[in-house]
């Protein structure tokens, strides 16, 4: 059956929540994907920063398969061993003392919101329940996560949202300070805004927030769902900016494509979750925890992370050269292997032109071409991607 036929069938029965590319993908390996016609693509989307170790990674597949045969699921009424080992690894590799497992980004954002409110109520009493969030942020589609998301376009038709979220401009430390009062429990943000268009924090923003939170007794919550797990050349993006959070969320790259989210917190904050306060049926199951543990073992290797940084510099140089040739590119920004090209025009045609030439890229905010190649990308694949991008710009903006 052809891709076109599959697409026609999908469009009859699947809810139309996505502006999907007309592409039916059937197989992947490393940085490559193949469609139903056998056409090959270089993948600079990586499932939106999910398949950080590429598609069909053999070791991760083996770890998952072993547990698929041995034990797929028991309730969180019981202990399972991969979950314990993964939690130990995350604690050893981060600021955190304790971990809660769920299945997606939005879900761990819900957990983070609940944890902050409960901790602050216990510590300071009633009335301290609001969050200072950033304009242009993205935290997910469930009601809590959506209420923390500072983009009205995502709220359309869904109000009333969860009360208690205040929005200030990203990178405006003064605005954050001015928004603090006795009703605020936490400052919640992405260290680099991903969906918002790869927006980087100013050099002192996160450290300034850390100090403000310490001074005012607020929690600092970092959503590292997209930036975490090696994407920026450090295991967690906040390590670049000298500001450890009290609470952090991870998901996307955690199990390299299998669904998993993790909520991490300091011991003091985590105490607020006692038996019965929060739960997930599937969270931390053996198959996914074993896959995640294998992925984390590879991603956290300092040599691997250094290599991500070097390849990121290499990609940046190529993108800067592209910017010099095509004035339609207003700005190139990013860190590690997370890059955005802000265009002076809509970017949809570039996405199409790249796809037709065998490269998958994403466009966010209408005019920002976002590149999130697998972290295992090789220099020759970066060269191939840049050559296609260049040809696409040549074709669309001659
Ligand atoms: C993708 C994303 C989420 C939502 O994750 P889901 O798994 O889609 O619920 C939240 N925050 C950030 C920063 C993200 O990039």
């Amino acid at each position: 059956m052809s891709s076109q036929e599959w697409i026609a069938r999908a469009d009859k029965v699947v809810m139309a929540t996505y502006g999907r590319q007309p592409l039916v993908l059937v197989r992947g390996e490393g940085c490559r994907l193949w469609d139903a016609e056998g056409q090959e693509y270089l993948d600079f989307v990586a499932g939106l920063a999910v398949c950080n170790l590429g598609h069909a990674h053999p070791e991760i597949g083996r770890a998952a398969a072993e547990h698929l045969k041995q034990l797929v699921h028991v309730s969180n009424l019981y202990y399972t061993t991969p979950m314990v080992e993964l939690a130990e690894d995350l604690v050893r590799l981060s600021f955190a003392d304790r971990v809660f497992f769920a299945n997606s980004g939005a879900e761990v954002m819900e957990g983070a919101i609940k944890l902050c409110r409960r901790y602050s109520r216990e510590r300071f009493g009633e009335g301290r329940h609001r969050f200072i969030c950033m304009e242009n942020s993205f935290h997910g589609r469930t009601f809590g996560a959506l209420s923390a998301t500072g983009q009205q376009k995502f709220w359309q038709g869904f109000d009333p949202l969860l009360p208690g979220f205040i929005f200030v401009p990203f990178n405006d430390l003064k605005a954050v300070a001015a928004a603090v009062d006795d009703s605020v429990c936490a400052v919640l943000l992405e260290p680099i805004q991903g969906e918002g268009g790869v927006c980087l924090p100013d050099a002192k923003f996160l450290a300034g927030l850390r100090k403000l939170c310490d001074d005012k007794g607020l929690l600092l919550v970092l959503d590292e769902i997209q930036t975490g797990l090696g994407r920026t050349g450090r295991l967690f993006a906040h390590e670049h900016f000298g500001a450890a959070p009290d609470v952090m969320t991870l998901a996307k790259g955690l199990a390299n494509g299998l669904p998993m989210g993790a909520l991490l917190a300091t011991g003091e904050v985590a105490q607020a979750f006692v038996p019965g306060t929060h739960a997930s049926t599937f969270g931390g199951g053996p198959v996914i925890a074993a896959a995640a543990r294998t992925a984390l073992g590879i991603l956290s290797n300092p040599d691997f992370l250094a290599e991500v940084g070097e390849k990121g510099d290499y990609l940046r140089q190529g993108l800067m050269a592209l910017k010099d040739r095509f004035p339609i590119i207003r700005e190139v920004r990013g860190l590690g292997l997370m890059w955005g090209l802000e265009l002076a025009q809509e970017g949809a045609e570039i996405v199409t032109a790249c796809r037709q030439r065998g490269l998958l890229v994403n466009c966010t905010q209408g005019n920002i071409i976002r590149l999130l190649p697998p972290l295992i990308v090789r220099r020759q694949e970066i060269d191939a991607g840049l050559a296609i991008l260049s040809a696409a710009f040549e074709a669309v903006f001659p």
Side-chain angles (χ1 to χ4, degrees), residues 345-397:
Q345 235 167 281
E346 294 287 293
E349 281 180 74
I350 289 291
V351 174
T352 302
C354 285
R355 189 183 71 241
Q356 288 165 343
R357 289 164 177 76
L359 172 69
L360 303 186
V361 300
N362 168 251
C363 179
T364 186
Q365 298 293 324
N367 69 327
I368 296 156
I369 302 296
R370 181 167 43 162
L371 308 177
L372 300 162
L375 307 181
I376 55 157
V377 69
R378 288 170 298 169
R379 276 174 180 72
Q380 74 198 65
E381 288 166 327
I382 293 176
D383 290 339
L386 285 165
I388 294 176
L389 262 174
S390 168
F393 274 98
E394 198 88 64
V396 177
F397 303 111

Side-chain angles (χ1 to χ4, degrees), residues 104-107 109 138-141 190 223 225-226 251-252:
S104 68
E107 231 181 300
M109 291 312 300
F138 183 80
H139 299 292
R141 307 301 195 121
E190 303 149 88
D223 175 348
I225 290 169
Q226 186 165 151
K252 293 204 160 88

Side-chain angles (χ1 to χ4, degrees), residues 184-197:
V184 172
C185 66
V187 178
L188 184 162
L189 75 161
E190 303 149 88
I192 300 171
Q193 294 187 328
E195 198 281 337

Side-chain angles (χ1 to χ4, degrees), residues 69-393:
K69 285 181 251 170
Q70 193 176 309
L71 182 68
V72 174
H73 175 80
V74 293
S75 164
N76 275 313
L77 293 169
Y78 310 99
Y79 295 89
T80 52
T81 58
M83 182 266 292
V84 179
E85 292 177 314
L86 176 61
E88 283 174 348
D89 288 350
L90 286 167
V91 164
R92 180 171 41 79
L93 292 165
S94 75
F95 72 95
D97 302 303
R98 287 185 184 264
V99 186
F100 172 86
F101 292 111
N103 315 288
S104 68
E107 231 181 300
V108 285
M109 291 312 300
E110 300 295 324
I113 292 165
K114 285 179 72 176
L115 179 63
C116 290
R117 282 196 171 167
R118 202 176 158 95
Y119 168 80
S120 298
R121 180 151 301 158
E122 278 183 0
R123 171 100 197 263
F124 301 104
E126 291 297 315
R128 200 171 169 114
H129 64 273
R130 294 166 93 203
F131 291 81
I132 300 176
C133 304
M134 301 297 134
E135 292 170 5
N136 198 44
S137 61
F138 183 80
H139 299 292
R141 307 301 195 121
T142 53
F143 264 106
L146 185 63
S147 303
T149 292
Q151 298 188 65
Q152 291 195 4
K153 68 180 181 197
F154 294 123
W155 305 341
Q156 295 297 309
F158 298 123
D159 56 309
L161 299 181
L162 190 65
F165 295 83
I166 309 163
F167 296 95
V168 298
F170 189 65
N171 271 330
D172 190 340
L173 193 55
K174 284 210 182 88
V176 181
V180 176
D181 64 22
D182 288 344
S183 71
V184 172
C185 66
V187 178
L188 184 162
L189 75 161
E190 303 149 88
I192 300 171
Q193 294 187 328
E195 198 281 337
V198 192
C199 305
L200 279 99
D202 293 341
K204 292 187 175 148
F205 183 53
L206 289 178
L209 287 178
R210 178 68 272 175
K211 183 168 184 313
L212 179 73
C213 288
D214 289 341
D215 291 349
K216 304 282 184 187
L218 306 177
L219 298 174
L220 180 62
V221 184
L222 290 181
D223 175 348
E224 292 242 24
I225 290 169
Q226 186 165 151
T227 54
L229 300 158
R231 179 51 52 188
T232 67
R234 297 283 187 93
L235 191 57
F236 307 113
H238 68 259
E239 296 171 19
H240 290 281
F241 307 108
D246 304 293
V247 175
M248 177 171 77
T249 51
L250 299 174
K252 293 204 160 88
L254 186 52
N256 205 55
L258 294 173
M260 175 173 250
L263 169 64
L264 285 74
T266 61
E268 190 195 330
V269 177
Q271 279 176 24
F273 271 176
V274 296
T277 49
H278 198 51
S280 164
T281 295
F282 292 116
V287 175
I288 298 193
R293 188 161 185 253
T294 307
L296 190 60
I298 301 167
L299 291 166
S300 62
N301 180 327
D303 295 335
F304 181 89
L305 291 168
E307 180 75 1
V308 170
E310 284 161 27
K311 290 185 295 194
D313 280 342
Y314 186 74
L315 176 57
R316 179 181 52 82
Q317 283 166 28
L319 295 173
M320 294 308 281
L322 208 61
K323 177 175 178 287
D324 288 342
R325 284 178 47 215
F326 299 98
I328 198 87
I329 303 175
R330 273 209 294 240
E331 197 181 11
V332 172
R333 50 181 190 253
L335 192 61
L337 284 169
M338 176 175 185
W339 287 90
L341 304 179
E342 184 175 327
L343 309 186
Q345 235 167 281
E346 294 287 293
E349 281 180 74
I350 289 291
V351 174
T352 302
C354 285
R355 189 183 71 241
Q356 288 165 343
R357 289 164 177 76
L359 172 69
L360 303 186
V361 300
N362 168 251
C363 179
T364 186
Q365 298 293 324
N367 69 327
I368 296 156
I369 302 296
R370 181 167 43 162
L371 308 177
L372 300 162
L375 307 181
I376 55 157
V377 69
R378 288 170 298 169
R379 276 174 180 72
Q380 74 198 65
E381 288 166 327
I382 293 176
D383 290 339
L386 285 165
I388 294 176
L389 262 174
S390 168
F393 274 98

